[in-house]
Amino acid sequence: MGSVDAHFVPLARRILPGTYAVEVAAAADVTVALRLLLSEAPAVSWHPAEFTDGTHGVGVDAGNVALLDVGSLVECQAQRIEAMFQEHMERLMETPGTMFGLTGEVVDAVMVSSGYGDGTYPCYWGLAADGSLTSLVVDFRVLAENILRTSRVPFQPGPVSTPELAAHELQITANDGAFVVSSRGEDLTGLRVLAPDGALLLDADYLGTFITGGISSKTWNPDALPPPGSVLEVTEYLGYRHI
């Protein structure tokens, strides 16, 4: 009998031991959000809930998310966790959420269906006026839309110096008739090259991506050089808003 191989990343901020309510919001049988209520005080501000690895979202690859007491989890044997997971995953077929105890009669875990399924979902701490925690929310982004911004700059070799794109370290490099478009981070969701008359010369979604050191690069091998006056169209992800 082995213990749990604890390859997990807990939330960086701790909460006081106690008994707390859990709420599940759903729309048309789809889980919209999960909330752990920590106090009766209203939240006056919301802040991304950081994990110990510096991220602010919970990754999902099994269609569900669980809130667990870390102390109980590390004391639990792997076979028991696997058995409980299978049991409660089946229950989620009929209910948006299920609660259970990891090591005994005390309920210290809740599991819910994760919106439309797998992905990475943002988590937020709600803070009261005095700075104390009021709640923890996992937003499954069901009733949400992305906020996007599109910019157009001249297509020419060299760094893209437009102020609104500066943080992405966007650069075009020419190499024997090919062009490499590189950028930092993952917030650029679209890259296209347009001729002066607006005709589409390249949609970078159809190119492979090479990533090293946080820099993503795509290589374009056009049949002919883009004509003078061609434009690089860049679409950025700026966040999301609820609808």
Side-chain angles (χ1 to χ4, degrees):
M1 301 291 287
S3 60
V4 176
D5 187 10
H7 288 260
F8 64 92
V9 179
L11 287 162
R13 190 163 182 174
R14 298 183 179 185
I15 63 174
L16 295 174
T19 300
Y20 303 107
V22 176
E23 295 179 339
V24 181
D29 296 326
V30 177
T31 305
V32 172
L34 169 66
R35 179 166 68 169
L36 176 66
L37 292 171
L38 302 174
S39 83
E40 297 295 329
V44 299
S45 63
W46 296 92
H47 303 271
E50 186 173 7
F51 289 78
T52 53
D53 64 352
T55 61
H56 299 95
V58 57
V60 175
D61 62 5
N64 57 73
V65 164
L67 291 180
L68 308 168
D69 178 75
V70 172
S72 297
L73 180 64
V74 297
E75 294 178 1
C76 210
Q77 293 179 328
Q79 292 88 341
R80 175 171 170 76
I81 290 179
E82 180 63 26
M84 286 189 294
F85 171 76
Q86 294 296 334
E87 174 188 351
H88 291 278
M89 185 174 64
E90 293 175 4
R91 293 185 182 181
L92 291 181
M93 300 294 182
E94 301 177 353
T95 180
T98 176
M99 304 176 72
F100 51 96
L102 287 169
T103 59
E105 297 299 323
V106 176
V107 174
D108 52 13
V110 59
M111 188 162 71
V112 303
S113 299
S114 53
Y116 291 122
D118 299 345
T120 300
Y121 298 101
C123 304
Y124 301 96
W125 291 116
L127 271 63
D130 63 0
S132 62
L133 295 177
T134 67
S135 57
L136 172 68
V137 170
V138 182
D139 184 356
F140 295 113
R141 298 186 56 180
V142 172
L143 303 178
E145 63 180 3
N146 291 337
I147 302 173
L148 303 176
R149 178 173 65 189
T150 300
S151 305
R152 291 185 176 182
V153 297
F155 183 85
Q156 58 189 20
V160 176
S161 56
T162 306
E164 62 266 26
L165 297 173
H168 302 290
E169 300 180 24
L170 185 61
Q171 181 158 320
I172 302 171
T173 304
N175 185 12
D176 293 331
F179 297 92
V180 177
V181 182
S182 60
S183 62
R184 179 173 294 280
E186 301 178 352
D187 290 337
L188 296 187
T189 62
L191 293 170
R192 303 198 308 168
V193 178
L194 306 175
D197 62 359
L200 179 64
L201 302 177
L202 165 71
D203 185 341
D205 286 348
Y206 297 98
L207 296 179
T209 302
F210 180 76
I211 301 176
T212 179
I215 300 293
S216 301
S217 60
K218 296 175 178 288
T219 300
W220 178 34
N221 293 282
D223 295 331
L225 294 178
S230 294
V231 169
L232 177 66
E233 182 185 85
V234 181
T235 301
E236 302 170 82
Y237 171 74
L238 302 180
Y240 72 98
R241 57 174 164 250
H242 292 105
I243 56 177

